Amino acid sequence: MIIYLVILYLLFINIYTFALMGFDKKSAKKQRRRVPEKRLFLLSAIGGAGGTWLAMKKWRHKTKHRSFTVGIPFLFVLNILLILGAAKLIGMTINS
Protein backbone atom coordinates (compact mmCIF):
# COMPACT_ATOMS: atom_id res chain seq x y z
CA MET A 1 0.00 0.00 0.00
CA ILE A 2 2.66 2.50 1.03
CA ILE A 3 4.71 1.74 -2.08
CA TYR A 4 1.79 2.82 -4.29
CA LEU A 5 1.46 6.09 -2.40
CA VAL A 6 5.19 6.76 -2.81
CA ILE A 7 5.01 5.99 -6.53
CA LEU A 8 1.98 8.27 -6.95
CA TYR A 9 3.73 11.03 -5.02
CA LEU A 10 6.89 10.74 -7.13
CA LEU A 11 4.89 10.74 -10.36
CA PHE A 12 2.94 13.80 -9.25
CA ILE A 13 5.93 15.81 -8.01
CA ASN A 14 7.98 15.08 -11.13
CA ILE A 15 5.16 15.89 -13.54
CA TYR A 16 4.50 19.07 -11.56
CA THR A 17 8.15 20.21 -11.60
CA PHE A 18 8.41 19.39 -15.31
CA ALA A 19 5.31 21.50 -16.04
CA LEU A 20 6.46 24.30 -13.73
CA MET A 21 9.79 24.53 -15.55
CA GLY A 22 7.91 24.73 -18.85
CA PHE A 23 5.71 27.48 -17.43
CA ASP A 24 8.79 29.35 -16.19
CA LYS A 25 10.45 29.09 -19.60
CA LYS A 26 7.33 30.44 -21.28
CA SER A 27 7.13 33.25 -18.70
CA ALA A 28 10.79 34.12 -19.32
CA LYS A 29 10.21 34.42 -23.06
CA LYS A 30 7.20 36.69 -22.51
CA GLN A 31 9.01 38.69 -19.80
CA ARG A 32 6.36 37.87 -17.22
CA ARG A 33 6.55 37.01 -13.55
CA ARG A 34 8.87 34.03 -12.98
CA VAL A 35 8.89 31.03 -10.70
CA PRO A 36 11.41 31.64 -7.90
CA GLU A 37 14.51 29.47 -8.15
CA LYS A 38 14.11 28.60 -4.46
CA ARG A 39 10.78 26.97 -5.27
CA LEU A 40 12.27 24.96 -8.13
CA PHE A 41 15.09 23.74 -5.88
CA LEU A 42 12.71 22.92 -3.02
CA LEU A 43 10.46 20.86 -5.28
CA SER A 44 13.52 19.13 -6.71
CA ALA A 45 14.83 18.37 -3.23
CA ILE A 46 11.57 16.75 -2.12
CA GLY A 47 11.50 14.28 -4.98
CA GLY A 48 11.01 16.28 -8.18
CA ALA A 49 14.59 16.49 -9.41
CA GLY A 50 13.92 14.07 -12.27
CA GLY A 51 11.15 16.26 -13.67
CA THR A 52 13.28 19.37 -13.30
CA TRP A 53 16.24 17.72 -15.01
CA LEU A 54 14.12 16.45 -17.91
CA ALA A 55 12.62 19.92 -18.34
CA MET A 56 16.08 21.47 -18.38
CA LYS A 57 17.01 19.16 -21.25
CA LYS A 58 13.71 19.50 -23.14
CA TRP A 59 13.37 23.29 -23.03
CA ARG A 60 17.04 24.20 -22.55
CA HIS A 61 15.96 26.13 -19.49
CA LYS A 62 18.30 27.13 -16.66
CA THR A 63 21.17 25.40 -18.44
CA LYS A 64 23.47 28.42 -18.10
CA HIS A 65 23.00 28.51 -14.32
CA ARG A 66 25.76 26.52 -12.65
CA SER A 67 23.59 26.10 -9.58
CA PHE A 68 21.11 24.19 -11.76
CA THR A 69 23.54 22.26 -13.97
CA VAL A 70 25.33 20.94 -10.87
CA GLY A 71 22.59 21.12 -8.24
CA ILE A 72 19.75 19.36 -10.04
CA PRO A 73 21.76 16.25 -11.03
CA PHE A 74 23.08 16.14 -7.45
CA LEU A 75 19.53 16.31 -6.09
CA PHE A 76 18.43 13.64 -8.57
CA VAL A 77 21.09 11.24 -7.27
CA LEU A 78 20.14 12.16 -3.71
CA ASN A 79 16.45 11.50 -4.51
CA ILE A 80 17.34 8.07 -5.90
CA LEU A 81 19.51 7.19 -2.89
CA LEU A 82 16.76 8.23 -0.47
CA ILE A 83 14.16 6.23 -2.37
CA LEU A 84 16.40 3.15 -2.41
CA GLY A 85 17.22 3.59 1.27
CA ALA A 86 13.56 3.95 2.17
CA ALA A 87 12.65 0.92 0.06
CA LYS A 88 15.33 -1.13 1.79
CA LEU A 89 14.16 0.05 5.21
CA ILE A 90 10.53 -0.74 4.39
CA GLY A 91 11.59 -4.12 3.02
CA MET A 92 13.47 -4.88 6.23
CA THR A 93 10.54 -4.01 8.45
CA ILE A 94 8.07 -6.00 6.33
CA ASN A 95 10.32 -9.07 6.28
CA SER A 96 11.08 -8.89 10.00
Side-chain angles (χ1 to χ4, degrees):
M1 174 66 175
I2 195 163
I3 192 79
Y4 297 114
L5 292 174
V6 171
I7 290 169
L8 280 174
Y9 169 76
L10 290 171
L11 279 171
F12 172 79
I13 194 78
N14 281 284
I15 290 168
Y16 181 68
T17 56
F18 183 84
L20 195 60
M21 284 284 283
F23 173 78
D24 190 52
K25 177 68 175 193
K26 189 178 283 189
S27 295
K29 284 184 173 183
K30 294 182 178 183
Q31 296 182 344
R32 292 189 178 154
R33 188 178 188 129
R34 305 284 303 280
V35 177
E37 289 184 358
K38 280 183 182 181
R39 181 173 299 150
L40 295 171
F41 270 104
L42 175 64
L43 291 168
S44 296
I46 62 171
T52 304
W53 202 6
L54 285 174
M56 285 174 65
K57 302 272 185 207
K58 172 143 178 83
W59 292 302
R60 288 186 247 132
H61 188 47
K62 301 285 188 189
T63 56
K64 293 182 181 178
H65 296 253
R66 186 155 172 78
S67 61
F68 276 83
T69 59
V70 173
I72 297 303
F74 172 79
L75 287 173
F76 179 74
V77 170
L78 188 61
N79 286 179
I80 296 297
L81 291 174
L82 289 172
I83 291 164
L84 292 174
K88 186 173 182 179
L89 213 118
I90 290 169
M92 280 187 199
T93 58
I94 291 172
N95 294 333
S96 299

